[in-house]
Amino acid sequence: MNFKQEIRFFSLYFLILFALWIILSGYFEPFFILCGISSSILTLFIFRRLVNAEKSLNKILNSKKKLSFWRLIIYIPWLMYQIILSSIYVAKQVLQFKLKLEPIVIQKKCKGHNDRSIALFANSITITPGTLTVNVEKTYLSTICIINKSLESGISEVENQVLKTFK
């Protein structure tokens, strides 16, 4: 993206962010308008790297170990289903009168992963309720915190699906 396109991009998004600020705040005093301008500019600078998101996605999809677009399309609904199941399980556990949660931290040596698949695996674990990826090291050793030992089998299932996605 050349400089002229970048200026056009930022100008358009600045106007959109500032318009949202004005509409949602409903204040038209100079102080609030200045706050809207400042926060819009700050937001654009913080998230400036998202300008090249399309290029980054193409790099991921065209890597040596390709992440097939169609496999990703299949993976996303499967993950959504797992999130729903996990949400129901966690809600049932939390709403019980006698709370019997036994949180544990496990370390999982991930086999057959590259950087992209371990990132997908770690993020998939984190967005699933009841589980959290605490640490991922270069040796692909993942430290995962789960609220109950019964969720441990689901970790391997997520890992297998991620590996299928990257075949």
Side-chain angles (χ1 to χ4, degrees), residues 90-121:
V90 170
K92 283 181 181 178
Q93 291 294 316
V94 170
L95 293 175
Q96 287 180 355
F97 287 112
K98 294 180 181 177
L99 200 59
K100 297 178 184 177
L101 297 180
E102 297 173 14
I104 61 170
V105 175
I106 60 171
Q107 289 188 335
K108 183 143 181 62
K109 178 77 172 168
C110 303
K111 298 176 183 173
H113 286 280
N114 60 17
D115 289 342
R116 290 173 184 92
S117 65
I118 196 67
L120 181 62
F121 175 53

Side-chain angles (χ1 to χ4, degrees), residues 15-95:
L15 289 174
I16 291 170
L17 285 171
F18 182 65
L20 278 171
W21 174 275
I22 291 294
I23 291 168
L24 294 175
S25 73
Y27 294 107
F28 300 102
E29 297 168 14
F31 174 74
F32 291 110
I33 290 175
L34 185 61
C35 286
I37 290 170
S38 302
S39 68
S40 297
I41 290 172
L42 182 65
T43 302
L44 285 173
F45 279 115
I46 290 173
F47 294 104
R48 190 171 77 198
R49 65 189 179 99
L50 293 177
V51 172
N52 296 323
E54 185 178 349
K55 189 191 313 180
S56 299
L57 181 61
N58 284 334
K59 281 183 184 177
I60 291 171
L61 293 175
N62 296 323
S63 68
K64 290 178 185 175
K65 233 182 180 180
K66 289 189 177 183
L67 172 60
S68 169
F69 178 73
W70 299 112
R71 288 185 186 152
L72 189 61
I73 294 296
I74 293 169
Y75 178 74
I76 291 172
W78 178 85
L79 181 62
M80 301 279 279
Y81 176 69
Q82 296 303 316
I83 291 171
I84 291 168
L85 288 179
S86 184
S87 298
I88 293 168
Y89 175 79
V90 170
K92 283 181 181 178
Q93 291 294 316
V94 170
L95 293 175

Side-chain angles (χ1 to χ4, degrees), residues 1 6 9 43 55 62 88 93 116 144 156 159 161 166:
M1 184 180 296
E6 209 169 305
F9 174 83
T43 302
K55 189 191 313 180
N62 296 323
I88 293 168
Q93 291 294 316
R116 290 173 184 92
I144 302 165
S156 297
E159 182 181 19
Q161 282 296 122
F166 277 92

Side-chain angles (χ1 to χ4, degrees), residues 102-107 132 134 142-147 152:
E102 297 173 14
I104 61 170
V105 175
I106 60 171
Q107 289 188 335
L132 175 68
V134 179
S142 182
T143 306
I144 302 165
C145 178
I146 53 181
I147 65 163
E152 190 173 0

